[in-house]
Structures are given as C-alpha cells and as structure tokens.
Amino acid sequence: METKLRDSADASAVAAPDRAAKMSGVALDVLRKKFPARPVPDEWPTSMLSRGEVLDLLSAPPFNYGTSSGLQSRLGAVRAVLTWLESFPGESWQTRWQNSRAEEMSHTVLTQAVSDWFSQRRKAFKRDNLGTGVLVLVCADVIRVNPGWLLSRGSNLREMIFKTRDPLGFEELRKISQLGDDWTRQTARWAQRKIAAVMAFKGGGVKDITVGDCLELLDMPGKSLAWRYTGNSLLYSWLHALGCFQPDAPTSLRGIRLQSGQLTPEQLVDRFPLGNKPVRDLIVDYLKERQPGIDYNTLEKLSRTLALNFWREVEKIKPGISSLRLDSDVAAAWKDRIRTKTSRVQTPDGTSIEVSSPRMGARQEMLLVRAFYLDIAQWAAHDPSRWGPWASPCPISDSEGNLRKEASHRKARMHQRTRERLPVLPTLVSSVAEYRKSAEKLLAAAQRTTPGANFWFDGEEFLVPPGNRIDTRVVELNTGRQRNLTHEEHCAFWTWAVVEILRHTGIRNEELLELSHHSITQYRLPTTGELVPLLQIAPSKTDEERMLLVTPELADVLSAVVGRVRGTSGAVPVIPCYDHLEKVWNSPMPLLLQRKFGGENRPLTRQTISNMLDAALERAGIVDVTGEPIKYRPHDFRRMFVTEAVMNGLPPHIAQVICGHKNINTTMGYKAIYPAEAIEAHRAFIARRRALRPSEEYRTPTPEEWDQFLGHFEKRKLSIGTCGRAFGAPCIHEHACIRCSMLRPDPAQRQRLLEIRNNLIDRIAEAEREGWLGEVEGLRVSLSAAEDKIAQLDQTIRRRTESVDLGMPAFTQIAGRNSTTSAPEGS
C-alpha cells in the first residue's frame, strides 16, 4: 500500500518507463528550440595549451591545494594521461580525447587498455592515475567529458570542481540551497554532482548553466532510472533561484517533464494523423474560430473528438474520402463505431485482449460533431469563400444529439453513488482520524528509541535499524517488513486533512489544490467588532470566486495544515502550481497542500489525493452491499455536502451560493434521494417565512429600520457573554441568561461565572438551612446551568490554546496587496 501513496512524479523515478520517450515530442522540441543547450567546441584556449603549459597551470593556484606530496601525485597522474593522449591525433587535447573513444568504454576496459598501452612501451603506470589525471584535466577545463561518463565513475568530482573551478559560485549556491536543512542528503549530493558534471562538460561556472543544459540531463544515459533522474528537479530549482536562467524560463524542471504548456490548434490536430490535408486544415481553422470562447481543456477535447473520434474513423470506413457530405451508410457505420469503445485488458494468465464496451459519452461526441456541421453552415453565410465549399447536410439528427436521456442516466448514477457513500462517511472520517493519531504515536515512539534498539507499540515489536537517516525507518520483527514511518505519518496526516477539508467545504478538487495561505482571511463586523474567519475560494470552473464561512472544526484543520507546511522562517513556502486542465503553470503561491520531496517543495497532485483516499478506504474496510470495495473521489464529497446540507434544512439557493453554481438546477442535481423533496422543502420554508412576516415588510428598509436592525446586535451584549437569539425574537427565558442555551459565554468573564456559581452554592445551602425547599429546586437548576457554561468555556479555551495560530491576513492587508498589483494592459 505504501507504493500506492506515492505521487506519480515520485514513483516514476524508480518504476516508470523512460520519461524522455514518453514526453510529447512536439512540446519537447519547442522547448529545446526555445532553450538550446550550449555546444561543446572541439577546441578552446585551455584545450590548446602545450604539455608544459598544462603542467604549469596545474602547479599554480587554485590547483596546488593540499600537501606537496598530494600535488606531486596529481601531477604525476596528469603526466601519464597526457602521455597517453599524445598518442592520438588532434590539434587540441579535447580532439585527442574524442579520438581516443574513451567515453565509449567502461571504466574497467579503459583502464586495462591504457595499462596495456604503457606496458607495451615498458613504462610504469598506476591504474589509479587514469581516473585522477582525467579528473584534474576536467577541473582545469583542458578536456570536457560527458556527464554520464563522469558520474558513473563515482569520483570526488563535486568537491574538486567547486574547489578549483568556481568557489564563489558554489558559495552562493550553498546559501540558496540551504544544504543544512532536512532535505534528503543523497538527493542533495546528486544534485551537486550533476551541477559539477554540467560545468565539466560545458565549461564556465555555476551561473553559466542554461535551461538547455538541464534539458540534456533528461537524455543522459544511466545505469538505472533512479540514478538518472535523482536530483534533477532539485538542481534546477537551485539554479532558478540563483538567477541563472532567463525570465521566461520554466520555474521547475518537473513542469518540463510533466507538460510543456498549451499546444496550438495545429499541434492538437496533428497528434492524430489524418489522410486528407484539406479536412485537417478545416478542423484547425474551426478550432481557431472556437478558441477565444472556450477554455483550453474544452479545446483539447474538441480536437480529439473531431480529429480522432470523427474524421479518422470516417477515413477508416471510407478511405480516400475528401468531403464532409457523408453517405447514409458511412454515417450509420460511424455512429455504430462511436457508440462503442475498445480497450485492452489483461487476463489472469497475463495476455492482453481487446474488449468492446458501450461508450457512455457517445451522445456528447455526436453533439460536438453536429455543432461542427451547423457552425460551418452558419459561418458560410458570412464568409462563403472559406466555409461555403464545406457546408454540408449534418449526418446527425436533433434527436440523436439530445442529451436529456443521457443526463438523466448520469444523474441517477451520481445519486446512487451518493446514497452508497453518505451513510459510511462517518466510518471513513473516524478511520482516517484514528490512523493519523496512531501514525503520529508510532513515529514518536520510534524517534525516542536509540538506533539499533527494539521497542513495543500496540502489541508489536519493532527494531530501529542502526545508522543516521533523515527518514525514520523500522523493521517489524514478526514479519521482517521494513516500514518508513515518516512517509506513513505524512500520508496519514494529508489523508485526514483532505477528507476534513472536502467534507466541511464541498469545494472542487482543483479548488482544493489551489488553496493558499492567502485564502484564509477574516472580516470584522462593523458594529460589534467581532472577527469572522472566511475561506476565499479561487475562481475555477465558473471563473467566480466565493467566500465560505470557516467553522470551528474547519479552523482546527486549517491551523494544523498551516502549522505543518510553515518553513523555518515561519512563513508558508511560495511554490508554483501546475493546472492540469489548462496546461499552464500558475503564479507561485503559498499553497496549503504542499510537501517537501526530493529537496524541493511540491504541491499535492490529483493522483496523490486519489491514491491516499484509496488507501484510507482499504484500511477502513468499507464495502458496498455486494461486498465490493467502495471508491471515493473528491467530487463525491461535494455531492454529499450538498445532499446533507439540504436534508438538514439549508435552503437550496444558499447551497447554490456556497457551491458556486450558476444555476440552482445544478445544485438540485447534486442533492440525492428525490429532487421533489428539496423543492417542496424550499417552498414550505418560503411559505412559513412569508406567513410570519406581513407582505408590506418585503420592501427596501428605511434608514431607521436598518439602524434598529444593527442595534439589535448591540443589545445582545451581556455581562457574561453574548446572546445568540434571532433578530426580533423575544427572550423566552425572561432574561434568566445563565439558564439559556443561546448564551455564548465570554472567556474573559470566566471569573464572573465562577462567582455566580459560588453564590448559587451559598444560596442553596442557606435555603436548605432555613427550610425554603421551594427555592432550592430552582437554585439547583441555575447551578447546573452555570456549571455547564463553565465547562463549555473551558473547552473553548482549551481548543484555542492547542490549535496553531493561522496568521490570517487582515482584510485591509489583502485589499492593499490586490490594489497595488497593476492590471495587464488591455484587461
């Protein structure tokens, strides 16, 4: 299960196929043309030095470090390598090195060949001289060697390059990289070695490295994928922070590996080779016409439908077709194909077979093709020279493009998912909370244990292996299984945080991933001065932001998240976030859902969240009525949030505002069980509200009435707290506030409550002593209420002291920050 919890970008370093081969060839070519790598010439000044000049260079600072015997040993190794290189033709030492074809040999074979060469000439040669001599020549920039060949030798390249080539650049790099923190030492060491290898291959210092040089690391041959990609993202982030790259360079090498930005309509269509070029050009022009009015995700789906699912299938049915006017048999054959899809599945014996199944979105595909035909017919009236020759009768009728039946089926499926998942949601919530606490306790117990010793936890014995590691690892003595407790605690915490945030807010998955520290804000009521915490949801699907009220439960979760992601400076790290739908990188933000991996802060991804939810459901053992495991997806929490809110009396139009829906019918579609139930409940609520208020009150209030309404909140202030009764509602307890459940006690008045409680105890004792039994019963009711208020107050104080301060920015600060940002020209 631990491997399931890894991010797809993380797991690919050890198990995924070659990333360079998997990349989009078009996008990668664009990047390489935009950011070319530095070429390696055949000669340069230091490579053209004579043998004596090379030895003089290596005898002077900064190459004469260490003892005199160490210097003589290095010079002796250099003399041996130079002697061997002189046997090859060339005007420069670099040309001789290339003609020796040393980089094509393994270290063992090369060492043996050089040793045999010296033996044939009856000359002494130490086998260690080859590696030392080549390394010294590389540091002096006499020869330049491929990074893969250098890194595979396991030499002290990093120390020698930084000491002799660019010590000042390395010092700046050390300050930027903050090598003393909790980053994985192996990853940081590999990042430094690769920076040194790039300097050795391309020449120059640290700040001379370009984006193209880093791109070349993706194609560098290596013994394993983990060896090849370890430290690449880290070194890129270091160099980017150091200011080595141009302003338009990608902020992360991970972004280059994942996606390289939006493709043009031509590139989108050319992903699926079409036989007829005029039709290909027509589809490209159609996409360009539609592009300004739709987002990139819709444009990508439209290109796939028209190029792959429509015209490419038509060309398979009727090869050589060159017109959009389809014969009835061709149109019927295409409709049959689009209603089914073929996928490859693996059988239990390991073979792969093709399986056909109904395509759930077949009508949507037909509707897009129908719109394609109708748009061309309409545009032909305005631009007949371009669109007129392609105007043809639409092969899809109006009834075939009707989505009403398909929408009702989809709605029924979603309602069934909600009915299955809502009853077991408390089980999932309690399971992730218990697992988080257990993981924290187990990690703490392991960290308290001396390396090499055993400890017991929850009836199991564990061994802490000896050695100094950043991650806390243990071995289960009963099974021998090794466990990374740091990773387990990390997954347990983020699973709990994701589940809690989703179920308390009902936000979309992309909105969850884009939550930042700036999203947590506050509003001060103008009359009472009371602070109301709010959560600002950034625009996503509807391009409209909204504000959600932060409940005490949600505030606890957010405070825990902020306390976890804060850096050593106390601030939340600012990192970029990739939008997988729009294929663009958002501006760097202090994202809440982020973690440190491979030495750099990365946001949680959609796949990571799905893997965490699957693991949590497997641990909880949640199954449906047939015994099959139930799968939760982030959008399921949104549907359950709406269903539960409306069922508990929240008006649907308020739920619509909270969810950010433009149409209340969308909100009603999220609410499971029966739509009529929510509509009737809403109508009954409106009828009851109007029955309580005269019709003349449904008008714009006068200034006097508005002042009276605001004055109501002032009258709620009491000596021991605040009254929470509704506006215009009378006090049903005749101002016996200590007994009223609507009283919210003020923590600052705790001493006053204690005095009231003590006074009630004295009065009860007096009444019992004097025989006033009728008064004793009433005083005891007041005493019980006072003790409940004190207990409620203590619980509130305890929650505040145990939670982490969110550091919420004030409303004025946010307004000031937004106002200082200049809008782009023409926006």
Side-chain angles (χ1 to χ4, degrees):
M1 183 54 60
E2 183 174 337
T3 57
K4 289 185 178 180
L5 302 180
R6 294 179 181 174
D7 191 352
S8 58
D10 308 342
S12 61
V14 292
D18 192 352
R19 290 183 185 176
K22 285 260 182 178
M23 284 186 192
S24 171
V26 175
L28 189 58
D29 289 342
V30 170
L31 277 174
R32 283 175 171 164
K33 291 178 181 179
K34 184 177 181 180
F35 304 105
R38 290 179 294 167
V40 179
D42 293 334
E43 55 187 42
W44 56 91
T46 52
S47 181
M48 299 294 296
L49 297 177
S50 65
R51 177 190 180 96
E53 291 173 334
V54 170
L55 294 175
D56 292 340
L57 174 67
L58 297 178
S59 302
F63 301 99
N64 59 348
Y65 62 89
T67 62
S68 59
S69 59
L71 174 61
Q72 294 303 320
S73 176
R74 293 194 298 272
L75 291 177
V78 169
R79 292 189 185 94
V81 173
L82 293 178
T83 301
W84 172 67
L85 288 178
E86 286 175 339
S87 64
F88 298 98
E91 297 295 328
S92 65
W93 295 109
Q94 178 67 16
T95 305
R96 298 185 183 101
W97 170 261
Q98 293 173 350
N99 291 334
S100 70
R101 311 181 73 87
E103 296 180 13
E104 300 177 6
M105 309 179 196
S106 65
H107 182 67
T108 304
V109 173
L110 178 61
T111 303
Q112 185 61 44
V114 176
S115 179
D116 293 342
W117 185 88
F118 276 95
S119 298
Q120 293 173 2
R121 287 155 181 78
R122 302 181 182 277
K123 294 182 179 181
F125 176 73
K126 296 181 179 180
R127 303 180 71 90
D128 295 339
N129 283 350
L130 177 63
T132 303
V134 170
L135 184 58
V136 173
L137 292 174
V138 165
C139 293
D141 201 21
V142 175
I143 61 175
R144 296 178 182 178
V145 182
N146 185 278
W149 192 88
L150 278 177
L151 294 175
S152 64
R153 298 309 184 266
S155 60
N156 55 345
L157 168 70
R158 175 178 59 117
E159 293 79 3
M160 291 189 64
I161 281 285
F162 289 147
K163 183 183 299 184
T164 60
R165 178 73 64 84
D166 188 11
L168 296 179
F170 174 66
E171 180 62 23
E172 293 185 37
L173 180 66
R174 187 189 62 79
K175 294 178 181 179
I176 288 291
S177 60
Q178 299 177 0
L179 300 181
D181 67 2
D182 59 349
W183 291 351
T184 305
R185 294 187 182 91
Q186 182 181 4
T187 304
R189 187 165 55 250
W190 267 108
Q192 296 175 50
R193 289 185 64 189
K194 289 186 176 181
I195 290 177
V198 172
M199 293 169 57
F201 185 47
K202 300 291 185 177
V206 174
K207 291 189 176 182
D208 295 320
I209 299 176
T210 66
V211 176
D213 297 340
C214 297
L215 287 176
E216 280 191 342
L217 292 176
L218 299 176
D219 301 324
M220 184 181 66
K223 296 177 289 188
S224 66
L225 289 173
W227 178 88
R228 185 188 302 183
Y229 293 110
T230 301
N232 287 358
S233 296
L234 184 57
L235 73 89
Y236 188 94
S237 63
W238 287 350
L239 296 173
H240 189 279
L242 199 59
C244 300
F245 305 146
Q246 51 264 55
D248 59 341
T251 58
S252 171
L253 186 64
R254 174 173 155 267
I256 299 175
R257 289 204 303 259
L258 291 176
Q259 292 288 343
S260 301
Q262 297 181 352
L263 302 181
T264 63
E266 293 88 347
Q267 294 169 342
L268 289 173
V269 175
D270 290 339
R271 295 178 302 169
F272 320 107
L274 303 180
N276 189 280
K277 189 178 185 303
V279 175
R280 176 262 181 197
D281 297 338
L282 174 69
I283 297 177
V284 170
D285 291 345
Y286 178 78
L287 294 177
K288 289 180 178 180
E289 289 289 333
R290 293 288 310 275
Q291 187 174 13
I294 57 179
D295 56 38
Y296 180 79
N297 186 41
T298 305
L299 182 70
E300 194 276 334
K301 291 181 179 179
L302 182 59
S303 67
R304 183 180 298 273
T305 297
L306 298 180
L308 176 63
N309 296 338
F310 172 56
W311 191 251
R312 193 173 180 181
E313 292 296 325
V314 170
E315 289 184 334
K316 291 180 181 179
I317 297 171
K318 188 177 180 180
I321 186 172
S322 59
S323 173
L324 295 183
R325 187 181 296 270
L326 304 184
D327 298 334
S328 57
D329 56 340
V330 176
W334 174 75
K335 294 173 186 177
D336 290 339
R337 288 199 179 198
I338 202 64
R339 291 190 181 99
T340 60
K341 64 178 181 178
T342 303
S343 57
R344 301 192 68 86
V345 297
Q346 194 170 12
T347 59
D349 59 357
T351 59
S352 180
I353 60 175
E354 291 187 353
V355 177
S356 298
S357 59
R359 186 191 298 271
M360 299 180 63
R363 285 184 176 269
Q364 293 179 344
E365 299 286 322
M366 292 184 184
L367 186 63
L368 293 177
V369 175
R370 175 178 170 82
F372 173 63
Y373 273 86
L374 297 182
D375 286 341
I376 290 178
Q378 182 181 2
W379 298 344
H382 301 281
D383 189 2
S385 61
R386 176 67 187 95
W387 306 104
W390 295 100
S392 305
C394 181
I396 303 170
S397 63
D398 188 18
S399 60
E400 290 175 323
N402 194 338
L403 299 179
R404 182 178 302 174
K405 187 174 183 180
E406 185 172 333
S408 63
H409 289 173
R410 182 174 62 254
K411 183 178 179 181
R413 292 195 304 270
M414 296 303 102
H415 285 185
Q416 181 61 25
R417 287 181 64 92
T418 302
R419 285 191 287 266
E420 290 177 348
R421 285 154 180 78
L422 186 56
V424 297
L425 179 59
T427 304
L428 175 62
V429 172
S430 60
S431 175
V432 296
E434 292 174 1
Y435 182 66
R436 175 203 171 196
K437 294 179 181 178
S438 176
E440 288 178 350
K441 294 178 181 178
L442 179 57
L443 177 62
Q447 290 175 342
R448 291 193 302 265
T449 305
T450 305
N454 298 355
F455 71 98
W456 288 83
F457 180 82
D458 199 15
E460 294 187 30
E461 187 177 7
F462 298 89
L463 167 66
V464 178
N468 185 17
R469 297 182 178 89
I470 295 178
D471 292 340
T472 302
R473 301 175 183 267
V474 297
V475 178
E476 293 181 354
L477 295 183
N478 292 337
T479 62
R481 183 167 68 100
Q482 296 186 359
R483 295 172 58 178
N484 187 340
L485 299 186
T486 303
H487 177 73
E488 291 183 11
E489 191 275 334
H490 153 81
C491 294
F493 174 84
W494 286 114
T495 303
W496 167 80
V498 166
V499 170
E500 290 294 321
I501 294 176
L502 288 176
R503 78 181 186 96
H504 283 301
T505 60
I507 58 179
R508 302 178 180 92
N509 193 20
E510 57 267 29
E511 294 170 343
L512 171 69
L513 296 176
E514 294 179 6
L515 282 180
S516 70
H517 198 204
H518 295 160
S519 302
I520 307 173
T521 182
Q522 60 189 11
Y523 177 72
R524 185 182 298 273
L525 296 177
T527 54
T528 63
E530 182 179 358
L531 288 178
V532 178
L534 300 174
L535 188 65
Q536 182 182 13
I537 305 301
S540 60
K541 186 175 182 180
T542 59
D543 290 333
E544 293 181 2
E545 69 174 6
R546 60 190 190 278
M547 306 293 289
L548 302 182
L549 183 65
V550 176
T551 61
E553 295 82 2
L554 179 59
D556 291 341
V557 179
L558 294 177
S559 65
V561 170
V562 172
R564 188 180 186 91
V565 301
R566 273 178 171 165
T568 55
S569 63
V572 176
V574 177
I575 60 174
C577 177
Y578 184 74
D579 190 333
H580 286 266
L581 298 179
E582 292 299 316
K583 302 295 187 293
V584 295
W585 282 90
N586 297 326
S587 301
M589 297 181 295
L591 298 177
L592 294 183
L593 272 66
Q594 63 171 279
R595 59 171 181 167
K596 182 162 287 187
F597 177 83
E600 64 174 345
N601 291 295
R602 294 185 183 179
L604 266 65
T605 64
R606 303 160 67 96
Q607 187 61 44
T608 300
I609 292 177
S610 296
N611 292 342
M612 288 181 175
L613 289 177
D614 291 343
L617 291 165
E618 184 175 334
R619 286 192 301 268
I622 299 177
V623 296
D624 58 15
V625 293
T626 63
E628 294 294 328
I630 292 181
K631 298 293 185 181
Y632 276 78
R633 289 296 173 257
H635 215 72
D636 291 324
F637 291 91
R638 184 171 174 82
R639 299 188 183 93
M640 290 187 292
F641 175 82
V642 174
T643 300
E644 194 171 26
V646 175
M647 289 178 61
N648 284 283
L650 183 69
H653 66 281
I654 302 300
Q656 174 193 355
V657 175
I658 294 176
C659 293
H661 291 148
K662 290 186 176 180
N663 193 329
I664 195 173
N665 293 326
T666 305
T667 308
M668 301 305 297
Y670 274 49
K671 196 267 178 188
I673 312 300
Y674 303 104
E677 175 189 355
I679 296 174
E680 294 302 328
H682 185 206
R683 290 176 176 175
F685 170 79
I686 297 296
R688 291 193 303 271
R689 186 179 64 180
R690 291 182 175 177
L692 294 175
R693 298 291 182 189
S695 59
E696 61 266 20
E697 290 192 4
Y698 288 88
R699 54 176 173 78
T700 303
T702 63
E704 293 77 16
E705 291 171 337
W706 184 248
D707 292 338
Q708 182 184 0
F709 174 76
L710 295 178
H712 160 77
F713 297 95
E714 299 291 344
K715 295 178 181 179
R716 293 195 304 172
K717 287 292 184 179
L718 304 173
S719 61
I720 56 177
T722 305
C723 178
R725 70 178 186 273
F727 173 73
C731 180
I732 62 176
H733 296 290
E734 298 179 355
H735 301 285
C737 299
I738 196 66
R739 300 183 180 182
C740 182
S741 60
M742 300 302 294
L743 174 66
R744 296 175 59 190
D746 186 359
Q749 303 300 327
R750 187 177 185 278
Q751 184 60 34
R752 185 182 294 272
L753 278 173
L754 294 176
E755 293 175 0
I756 294 175
R757 183 196 63 181
N758 297 336
N759 180 264
L760 289 171
I761 294 175
D762 295 338
R763 291 177 61 186
I764 292 173
E766 179 185 6
E768 290 176 345
R769 184 174 63 252
E770 298 295 335
W772 302 333
L773 301 182
E775 191 170 354
V776 169
E777 183 177 357
L779 291 173
R780 285 178 176 172
V781 173
S782 298
L783 176 61
S784 177
E787 290 176 344
D788 290 341
K789 290 292 185 295
I790 294 174
Q792 177 184 351
L793 199 59
D794 292 340
Q795 184 179 2
T796 303
I797 296 174
R798 188 182 310 111
R799 184 170 64 242
R800 291 182 179 179
T801 56
E802 292 178 351
S803 62
V804 178
D805 181 21
L806 290 176
M808 295 184 297
F811 181 80
T812 55
Q813 295 173 340
I814 293 181
R817 181 173 62 247
N818 291 338
S819 63
T820 58
T821 303
S822 59
E825 184 178 354
S827 61

